[in-house]
Each structure stands twice: as structure tokens, then as C-alpha cells.
Amino acid sequence: MGYRTYLELAAPLLQGKQLITSTMTRELDRAGQAIDLALQGKTVALVSSGDPGIYAMAAVVFELARSRGLDPGPGGLPVRVIPGVPAVAAAAALLGAPLSHDFACVSLSDRLTPWELIEKRLALAAEADFVIALYNPRSKGRPWQLARACQVIANHRDPATPVGIVRRAQRPGQQVELAELATADQTEVDMQTIVIVGNSQSKVYQGRMITPRGYINKYGERKNSAAG
Amino acid sequence: MGYRTYLELAAPLLQGKQLITSTMTRELDRAGQAIDLALQGKTVALVSSGDPGIYAMAAVVFELARSRGLDPGPGGLPVRVIPGVPAVAAAAALLGAPLSHDFACVSLSDRLTPWELIEKRLALAAEADFVIALYNPRSKGRPWQLARACQVIANHRDPATPVGIVRRAQRPGQQVELAELATADQTEVDMQTIVIVGNSQSKVYQGRMITPRGYINKYGERKNSAAG
């Protein structure tokens, strides 16, 4: 079961399986149907892209199981979460190594979260000098959130801070772009895009976005030469 | 190339390859040796556990390439980062779905980062109500940081906040434990442990740690029943 696009990506693994596709915004319906089929004795795989535990379906299944009073034992609803490569890690690998130090992930979707809380999180994450990965940066119905998020972060960070923008990471149609905080909102982003805003130490070197771990600063040229 | 333990985990993929093992704390030496071999024309895989871009070797390679003035073109140092399943996602999957909403990753190692900055990040992440994943929570030389981190977070969060502790996630010797913020520092943790502190909405239901995405709250029983 899953959103059609995700099942198409997994097609080589799905031969001979019963497939149930659904649309993107019916998460509760999909989870409910998966639970019903599992309770009938079927082995059901609910497919997310990326990691199923990060802004994805795993929590929806557990929330629904809880609201129905189901337990994870035999005869109840045994659930196993299979971890995957999160979109943020897939995107970071294409940019270079922007996530090598402390980072925060924030979704800009205010469908289930009040915008005030999102903005508070962005401001505090910026003040803490976290690398900030933005999920769901823009949709047709939410055109303004990315510009506002960049403004909030810019209160604590240089306008020239590098920003990596990755669309459809590691999939057909992949696009990788580097920008700066001051102008990142003018790039083409959508719901399949991850935007990674560097911290105060992040830099771009020959097309790669890097957040140093600090070895060179700490050990300098001596260790560096020894390593060579 | 890699730390011995990681190469042993990857043994089935390594038959017929030249293996170069190293100890955990010689990151610069390892990266330098990998670069030297690559410049000699060898194809070198530098193996990290988890994702190589998250607190791992990718940034060290780029930092060193930058300090040597190497470029990524032909004849220079072409580097490709292969994303993986980060330790935090591997751990979260075993706990349930604790990372389903905005979260921050913070390393408690003050080997390369001043403790004052780590503590500032913890305080702001707690104030922002991020789920907080702690990497490198304790080593023999750093016994007190986890207790202090929990104290800092507890200034903004209920002492009964669920905390998930996963040691050696998805590997031999795996251990999964649930605790509360007030007592989490008394659990057995080490450098192969990820500690995940819930946000104000996180809960434990029948042994699973869940951070709700909010569907049930938003759509309630009507949608819930429709989903069934």
C-alpha cells in the first residue's frame, strides 16, 4: 500500500503482490485500511519514501492503533518499522556534507501545526546555530512560507549563508542547486524538495556545501601533514 | 577503508577487496590516507556506519580536500557520498515513531565543540519543543554530559517526558529501553547509543514511543471511523 508514486519507485520489489494505491492527502484512510487488512491476517507493507518514521506514515499507524485500543501482541496489531534513507540524508549526500554537525529538521507545512509554532522553532534553531533542514518548503496552497522562514533565520545568520536546494533527491528528475540565505526563497522548490540552510561555519568549496566538523581547525596543518 | 568494526559489518560486500582498517579516533589520518590512495588512481570506499554525512567521515574528506586545494574534477579528487540509514532513524524505528515531528540532533561530544555551545543548543532545542536526538551521549572520558543534558532539557519539559534509549541499533547486541527524562541519565549508554528525548506531545503506548503527527487530533473520530 502506498502513494502511487512511491509504489512505482518500488516496482521491482512488488511483482506478484496485491497493490493498493492512494492519494497523497488521505493518510488516515490509508493507515486505517492497512490496519484493517492486517487484522484480517494479511501481511501489509505500508510504503513511504525516505524513512517511514520521519514526517511519514509510521506515527499515523501507531496513532490509529492507539485510538482503536489495539495492542502489538499476537492477535492484535504487530507493527515493525523498517528504517530507510531519510530525504534529508539523500539530499545532503548530493550537496556534499552539510549535516556533519548538529542540525534540526523543520516542516514548513502548517496543515497540522500552527504557523506560530513553526516560526518559533525556526527562530530558536537559528539562534542555536543548527544547520536547518526544511521539509515541505512550498506547495501550491502554501506559497509564502519559505520566504518567511528565510527571513526568520536571517535574523540570526549572515545573508550569505549557503543554502542547498535538492529536488527529487536520488530519483529521476533530480535537481541540485546552491543559493544564499538572502535569495533562497527565489529558487524553484516544491513538496519534493529539501532545503538545507547552513550554520555559521558552513561553506561552499568548489560546488560542495560543507559544514566542517572542526578537525582541521583543531589539529591544523601538523596533523594534516601527518595525515598525508 | 574504515574502522574495523564497520568493515566487519560490511564483510559480505568486501570479498576480494584490499582492506585498510583504522582506529576510531584517527579520522584525519584515515581521510588523508583515503585521499592519497584516490590520487594514486585507486577507487576508495571510506566506510562509515549509519549515514556518512551525519557526524561521520564525509565532511572530514571534504575539509581535507579543501585544505589541500584539491578540486573534484578529473585528475583532482572526485568524491561521491552514498547516503545511508542514519543511526537516529535506525534507533527510532525500533522505538516506534518518535521522530514524526520536527526534531534536532545534538552530539554531546565536546572533543571538537565547546560544551557551552552544546548546552546552548540543548536549551534552545528544548524551548522550541523539538524532539531531541542525542548522539555520543557518553564515553569513558565523558561520564557527566548526559545527566547535564537531561537537566538542561528538563528546564523546558515535563520530567515524565518519554526517552528512548537504543544501543547498537539493528546490530548484534541491540538493546532498546524506555525511560523518562528525570531518570534517563541512569540508564546504560555509551558511544554506540542514541538517546531520543520526546517533545511535549510524545507518548508511550504499549511499549512504543510515538510523537503524533496530529491527524487524530485534527480529524478526530469522524475521519478515524471513515478510515476504518
Side-chain angles (χ1 to χ4, degrees), chain A residues 39 61-79, chain B residues 94-97 162 176-178 202-210:
Chain A
L39 292 175
V61 171
F62 286 119
E63 280 183 80
L64 208 49
R66 179 168 174 265
S67 81
R68 291 200 195 170
L70 299 170
D71 75 62
L77 185 74
V79 179
Chain B
L94 295 168
L95 289 165
V176 180
E177 193 177 348
L178 287 169
S202 301
K203 40 187 67 81
V204 171
Y205 178 67
Q206 297 189 330
R208 310 299 186 98
M209 181 173 169
I210 309 164

Side-chain angles (χ1 to χ4, degrees), chain B residues 16-213:
Chain B
K17 309 289 184 194
Q18 181 188 355
L19 302 185
I20 302 173
T21 59
S22 61
T23 56
M24 193 69 179
T25 52
R26 312 272 297 176
E27 288 92 346
L28 267 185
D29 290 359
R30 214 185 318 159
Q33 197 180 356
I35 288 174
D36 289 340
L37 289 168
L39 291 175
Q40 288 164 25
K42 302 225 184 218
T43 301
V44 184
L46 190 53
V47 177
S48 294
S49 72
D51 180 273
I54 297 182
Y55 302 115
M57 290 299 292
V60 184
V61 171
F62 286 120
E63 280 184 81
L64 208 49
R66 179 168 173 265
S67 81
R68 293 201 195 169
L70 300 171
D71 76 61
L77 185 74
V79 179
R80 186 173 163 214
V81 182
I82 314 287
V85 177
V88 68
L94 295 168
L95 289 165
L99 298 182
S100 302
H101 216 295
D102 303 333
F103 67 96
C105 292
V106 179
S107 167
L108 297 191
S109 170
D110 54 0
R111 196 155 65 99
L112 298 173
T113 306
W115 178 255
E116 294 69 31
L117 177 57
I118 297 170
E119 198 165 309
K120 178 182 173 186
R121 284 181 175 157
L122 291 169
L124 291 166
E127 186 182 346
D129 203 23
F130 281 112
V131 176
I132 303 175
L134 303 175
Y135 273 72
N136 306 316
R138 183 184 288 150
S139 72
K140 280 173 191 160
R142 297 186 297 99
W144 56 267
Q145 279 84 346
L146 178 60
R148 179 66 192 139
C150 290
Q151 277 173 10
V152 169
I153 296 170
N155 289 336
H156 298 274
R157 216 161 284 184
D158 191 315
T161 299
V163 176
I165 293 137
V166 181
R167 189 160 175 265
R168 299 179 68 83
Q170 321 269 353
R171 292 191 205 167
Q174 168 183 299
Q175 293 176 331
V176 180
E177 193 177 348
L178 287 169
E180 295 186 351
L181 183 54
T183 52
D185 66 297
Q186 292 158 30
T187 56
E188 195 189 331
V189 307
D190 62 13
M191 290 291 281
Q192 297 186 72
T193 305
I194 297 283
V195 175
I196 300 181
V197 181
N199 71 10
S200 64
Q201 305 304 305
S202 301
K203 40 187 67 81
V204 171
Y205 178 67
Q206 297 189 330
R208 310 299 186 98
M209 181 173 169
I210 309 164
T211 302
R213 291 184 62 192

